[in-house]
Amino acid sequence: MQLSEQEIIRRDKLNALRELGINPYPANLYPVDHTSKQVKENFEEGKKVVVAGRLMSNRDQGSACFAELQDSEGRIQLYLNRDVICPDEDKTLYNRVFKKLTDLGDFIGVEGELFTTKVGAQCVRVSNFTFLSKTLRPLPLPKTDEEGKVFDAFVDPELRYRMRYVDLVVNPQVKDVFMKRTKLFTAMRTFFNEAGYMEVETPVLQSIPGGAAARPFITHHNSLDIPLYMRIANELYLKRLIVGGFDGVYEFSKNFRNEGMDRTHNPEFTAMEIYVAYKDYNWMMEFTENLLEYCATQVNGTTEATFGEHKVNFKAPYARVTMTDAIKQFTGFDITGKTEAELFEAAKGMGIDVNETMGKGKLIDEIFGEKCEGNFIQPTFITDYPKEMSPLCKSHRDNPDLTERFELMVCGKEIANAYSELNDPIDQRERFEAQMALAAKGDDEANGIIDEDFLRALEYGMPPTSGLGIGMDRLIMFLTNNPSIQEVLFFPQMRPEKKGPELTEEEKLIIELLKAEDNQPLAQLKEKSALSGKKWDAAMKGLSKHGLTKVVVDGDNKTVVLS
């Protein structure tokens, strides 16, 4: 492992601490009795406190210094005086341990009393400090100049998402997003629990991928010697519980879909699904708008939220527009009664990318997605979807070509999907068979498997039921004004980290010489390296092969530069 100069220095300090008899990673409890927030909210001059956290700044003033300690709730200023910390003749704890062997980012615990500085800042006058954890890598701390301009901020998304643990330390505002995410889950649970519904858990590993049209991740169970699928949805299991006699069940589930990744999709995501017996989709619309009004208020203190350039209000009630009317409004085309061929030609005429594997449902979905959904900014229920788009949904009571389904659109994106659930087992089997036909035709999103056990459950009888699914990641994006799903996931899926090539000692030497002074004459660089002709040639050839250096020829002059 190649270490930077800073990493080597910190390891040397680690060893020095041990030589002084100080354990850099003590196991014993440290008796913290205040957080930084509690200190500030309950500040009393002279009050004794014990706090702990990371050392984030240090302004040395010789025999004293001011420092900042960061814990889970913010920062608090510290004042360390050599003679207070070391009242006896031995000043090692301050002069050596704190001033020489402690780095920014290290975890320390301090005991002291509160006081107010001459400029009015709340501060802890430290009487004792304890080493709690030595950091071996320097934090990428931003710097602020006298004019307040910030330099070297840790803002590269690739690094932030890959090293979220660093992101949370140096960008404290990121933590607020995840605090609000937790508030959202808590608020939703409270709403459901107060309504009398029960939180449950269903299998993540399933023998059949069901409950949605999506490509699954596949694994293998060695003991049973069978393939298993990571769930794409928990719908069919929750409905089994309604069959079993529960009137209302809900689950926050981790779902997995082996599909593309973009700013609004991650292969692993969190959904909430709730099913309530003896209800229909009209009842569920009212339930949904009241739920989201409550959640928005609990998360942000208001029903209003900003998302990009849009101001969104989650105050109930929400507008309701049928799928047919939405398409007619934004394309002028009426999908009512149209054949698959007519829909195909209409979509092509609108410039939509379609192919022969798409059935009626997929074609209508493409038309709506391309031409309509982006126009719905304020929360809007899109209702009454064509039957081909909804294989698990009950037929519309007034029009058998439609289903009793709605999706909730916000800022042009779907955040909720709900049905009057199909509970006719014969109709359900026919819908599954239609999905199998689409899968055989080449639609890779159609489910080509019939869940016989679910059909058996329906044959035992499921009462009239309405179900709702909400994409939790997407909802928190709207509530925290984050256009990327990666910003609301602690650890979003990333491509494997690219590792640099393994270099020989000779190649490393040349790279270090070029880092000290790039663009060196070839002969001069060779002389500095002091390598034999054979080793020099091999090293230069290897660096060129790795794309790390190149030789620039200008007439008779040859220089070497870093690529």
Side-chain angles (χ1 to χ4, degrees), residues 99-117:
K99 290 189 66 173
K100 303 295 185 183
L101 302 181
T102 305
D103 290 300
L104 298 186
D106 289 350
F107 281 90
I108 62 171
V110 301
E111 302 172 43
E113 62 180 37
L114 303 181
F115 78 104
T116 306
T117 67

Side-chain angles (χ1 to χ4, degrees), residues 258-379:
N258 198 356
E259 298 170 343
M261 294 167 55
D262 58 32
R263 288 168 68 83
T264 60
H265 294 87
N266 194 65
E268 175 185 351
F269 63 97
T270 304
M272 184 291 304
E273 294 203 24
I274 182 169
Y275 292 83
V276 185
Y278 312 113
K279 310 298 184 186
D280 66 5
Y281 81 138
N282 291 312
W283 177 90
M284 189 60 82
M285 270 187 266
E286 185 176 343
F287 183 81
T288 301
E289 60 195 8
N290 290 332
L291 167 68
L292 294 183
E293 178 182 330
Y294 175 80
C295 288
T297 303
Q298 292 298 308
V299 171
N300 287 330
T302 174
T303 60
E304 295 182 345
T306 299
F307 187 72
E309 61 185 20
H310 302 299
K311 295 283 188 183
V312 179
N313 196 334
F314 286 95
K315 178 75 175 173
Y318 304 159
R320 305 180 184 195
V321 181
T322 68
M323 168 73 77
T324 301
D325 287 345
I327 292 176
K328 194 184 301 182
Q329 178 184 351
F330 293 107
T331 70
F333 180 71
D334 188 351
I335 62 173
T336 305
K338 295 298 189 289
T339 64
E340 184 176 309
E342 289 171 321
L343 289 167
F344 185 87
E345 290 303 318
K348 277 183 63 178
M350 297 174 197
I352 298 171
D353 186 18
V354 293
N355 59 64
E356 60 279 355
T357 69
M358 296 180 177
K360 287 180 68 174
K362 190 71 178 291
L363 290 166
I364 294 169
D365 193 26
E366 290 293 318
I367 293 171
F368 179 77
E370 288 284 333
K371 300 297 181 181
C372 306
E373 68 178 19
N375 296 291
F376 296 103
I377 304 303
Q378 296 303 319

Side-chain angles (χ1 to χ4, degrees), residues 454-474:
F454 176 67
L455 288 173
R456 178 170 59 192
L458 287 187
E459 288 171 357
Y460 278 101
M462 184 175 86
T465 298
S466 184
L468 167 72
I470 292 178
M472 299 300 291
D473 306 316
R474 193 170 289 179

Side-chain angles (χ1 to χ4, degrees), residues 514-530:
L514 285 170
K515 283 181 177 179
E517 182 187 348
D518 198 5
N519 197 16
Q520 295 191 46
L522 182 71
Q524 176 184 308
L525 183 64
K526 182 177 180 181
E527 185 178 346
K528 282 184 181 178
S529 72

Side-chain angles (χ1 to χ4, degrees), residues 37-229:
K37 184 178 179 182
Q38 289 169 338
V39 167
K40 293 171 183 175
E41 289 180 347
N42 304 293
F43 186 85
E44 294 178 23
E45 202 79 22
K47 182 180 180 180
K48 295 190 180 301
V49 298
V50 180
V51 295
R54 286 185 187 269
L55 187 68
M56 297 301 285
S57 71
N58 186 3
R59 302 190 303 281
D60 188 11
Q61 298 177 349
S63 62
C65 72
F66 281 97
E68 274 190 309
L69 195 72
Q70 178 173 298
D71 63 14
S72 63
E73 296 189 342
R75 293 190 181 189
I76 187 69
Q77 185 168 262
L78 309 178
Y79 174 70
L80 296 95
N81 183 288
R82 180 182 61 197
D83 294 331
V84 173
I85 290 176
C86 306
D88 300 326
E89 289 187 13
D90 185 358
K91 309 296 182 183
T92 303
L93 185 61
Y94 182 82
N95 287 344
R96 181 154 170 74
V97 177
F98 184 78
K99 290 189 66 173
K100 303 295 185 183
L101 302 181
T102 305
D103 290 300
L104 298 186
D106 289 350
F107 281 90
I108 62 171
V110 301
E111 302 172 43
E113 62 180 37
L114 303 181
F115 78 104
T116 306
T117 67
K118 292 178 180 179
V119 296
Q122 296 175 338
C123 194
V124 180
R125 181 183 286 107
V126 178
S127 58
N128 189 29
F129 92 93
T130 303
F131 226 101
L132 298 179
S133 183
K134 182 69 184 167
T135 56
L136 300 184
R137 292 175 183 260
L139 289 169
L141 292 171
K143 302 172 184 64
T144 306
D145 64 16
E146 294 178 356
E147 298 177 357
K149 293 181 180 178
V150 178
F151 298 90
D152 300 328
F154 189 63
V155 294
D156 184 337
E158 172 80 12
L159 292 176
R160 288 182 51 240
Y161 303 153
R162 197 178 295 283
M163 297 191 294
R164 182 68 85 186
Y165 39 88
V166 174
D167 187 30
L168 291 164
V169 174
V170 301
N171 295 320
Q173 71 280 5
V174 171
K175 188 179 290 185
D176 293 339
V177 173
F178 294 99
M179 299 286 283
K180 287 186 173 182
R181 183 184 174 104
T182 295
K183 284 184 179 180
L184 173 61
F185 281 74
T186 300
M188 203 169 277
R189 277 192 172 94
T190 299
F191 193 89
F192 294 151
N193 292 343
E194 289 181 353
Y197 308 134
M198 189 171 81
E199 185 171 9
V200 299
E201 291 180 305
T202 61
V204 173
L205 293 175
Q206 303 180 356
S207 58
I208 294 174
R215 200 177 305 153
F217 286 92
I218 305 173
T219 186
H220 186 82
H221 192 293
N222 291 333
S223 180
L224 296 176
D225 194 24
I226 58 170
L228 289 176
Y229 304 87

Side-chain angles (χ1 to χ4, degrees), residues 473-488:
D473 306 316
R474 193 170 289 179
L475 178 55
I476 198 60
M477 286 168 61
F478 289 124
L479 292 176
T480 59
N481 194 15
N482 276 300
S484 171
I485 194 172
Q486 286 83 6
E487 291 289 351
V488 301

